[in-house]
Amino acid sequence: MTVKSGVMGCLALCGALMAGQVWADCVPVPVTGVLDYSVCKEWPAYPGLTIGAKALFKRKPTPGDVDSNGIYDFDLSVFQDGKTEPLATYHQAAAFEQNGVAVYELTLDTARYKLTSDLRAFGVRVRLSNGSRLTPVDETQLSLYVREGEKLRPVLRQLVVSEYGGEWDGNCDSQRFEVSRTVEIAKTSSHGYADLIVKTQQTNTISVGEGDACEDKTSVSSPELTTLRYDGKSYVLPKGFQAIE
């Protein structure tokens, strides 16, 4: 479940309670800013545990900046069902910057990221976009975290799992590309953690002509497999796999 602002969270929660409904899943921590995000999700790998994440926006204090330019502080928590105090936490100040490219979505990924025989990671996906039709930039990045006692530690930082961009003249002429990546657990390992196999596929589209004569020419690349290896601290990302800076 996702909450975009404190007002939305209150409306959703209060409405459900007034209707006598029972929530089947977790309730995100309330947030107050219209640019803030709060999400939570049950962690199937560890029954009884729930993951919560929030990204709180801070406007840049620099004179002349528009209201939407700023940074996000990011917090992660793992809770035991029925408990209010988190079992483990993670905090990153200025985790994301919003300057032309904005944070559009924050989600939790509880796929089977089994890194050792008894350790599973969970993912956080962040989508960023500039909302432009003529020069679009749209990217989703994936980070993986593991629990170590009372701490949550990132082991994969901001792998780009989807990307879209290009240029368009507003009529027909355009060049666009779309990249998609999937992550699988390999049978091999490095420094005690399973290697990750990333499959990348790219689609390129060129549009030319005018009016009804506008034609698309699309080419799809063959899938490429890349192995990410753990170096003892984190998985090393090759050039081109990293998120927008």
Side-chain angles (χ1 to χ4, degrees), residues 6-7 54:
V7 175
K54 63 181 179 179

Side-chain angles (χ1 to χ4, degrees), residues 35 60 73 80 104 111 117 125 153 159 201 209 230 232-233:
L35 296 178
K60 283 185 177 179
D73 289 346
Q80 181 74 46
Y104 265 59
S117 59
R125 292 176 182 256
R153 182 172 66 88
L159 165 69
Q201 190 157 30
Y230 186 71
K233 295 182 179 179

Side-chain angles (χ1 to χ4, degrees), residues 126-147:
V126 179
R127 181 189 169 207
L128 304 100
S129 176
N130 66 353
S132 172
R133 295 173 64 245
L134 300 182
T135 56
V137 174
D138 196 298
E139 172 183 289
T140 299
Q141 53 183 248
L142 169 68
S143 298
L144 296 181
Y145 297 81
V146 296
R147 181 188 172 193

Side-chain angles (χ1 to χ4, degrees), residues 198-218:
V198 178
K199 182 170 71 173
T200 303
Q201 190 157 30
Q202 180 164 335
T203 301
N204 296 305
T205 302
I206 298 176
S207 298
V208 294
E210 295 182 2
D212 294 338
C214 185
E215 295 184 359
D216 291 340
K217 297 180 179 179
T218 300

Side-chain angles (χ1 to χ4, degrees), residues 120-180:
R120 288 193 181 184
F122 67 86
V124 175
R125 292 176 182 256
V126 179
R127 181 189 169 207
L128 304 100
S129 176
N130 66 353
S132 172
R133 295 173 64 245
L134 300 182
T135 56
V137 174
D138 196 298
E139 172 183 289
T140 299
Q141 53 183 248
L142 169 68
S143 298
L144 296 181
Y145 297 81
V146 296
R147 181 188 172 193
E148 296 179 342
E150 297 181 352
K151 300 294 183 181
L152 298 171
R153 182 172 66 88
V155 293
L156 175 69
R157 291 181 179 269
Q158 297 176 306
L159 165 69
V160 176
V161 291
S162 68
E163 185 178 8
Y164 176 78
E167 295 183 353
W168 179 45
D169 68 355
N171 294 306
C172 176
D173 291 352
S174 67
Q175 296 183 2
R176 307 181 301 278
F177 72 91
E178 185 172 0
V179 177
S180 62

Side-chain angles (χ1 to χ4, degrees), residues 176-245:
R176 307 181 301 278
F177 72 91
E178 185 172 0
V179 177
S180 62
R181 293 190 175 97
T182 58
V183 180
E184 296 183 0
I185 305 299
K187 294 181 179 180
T188 57
S189 63
S190 302
H191 294 275
Y193 277 23
D195 297 333
L196 304 179
I197 300 175
V198 178
K199 182 170 71 173
T200 303
Q201 190 157 30
Q202 180 164 335
T203 301
N204 296 305
T205 302
I206 298 176
S207 298
V208 294
E210 295 182 2
D212 294 338
C214 185
E215 295 184 359
D216 291 340
K217 297 180 179 179
T218 300
S219 61
V220 181
S221 67
S222 299
E224 295 184 2
L225 300 181
T226 304
T227 300
L228 305 184
R229 293 181 172 84
Y230 186 71
D231 67 0
K233 295 182 179 179
S234 63
Y235 286 92
V236 179
L237 292 179
K239 186 177 180 180
F241 283 51
Q242 298 171 325
I244 296 171
E245 294 294 338

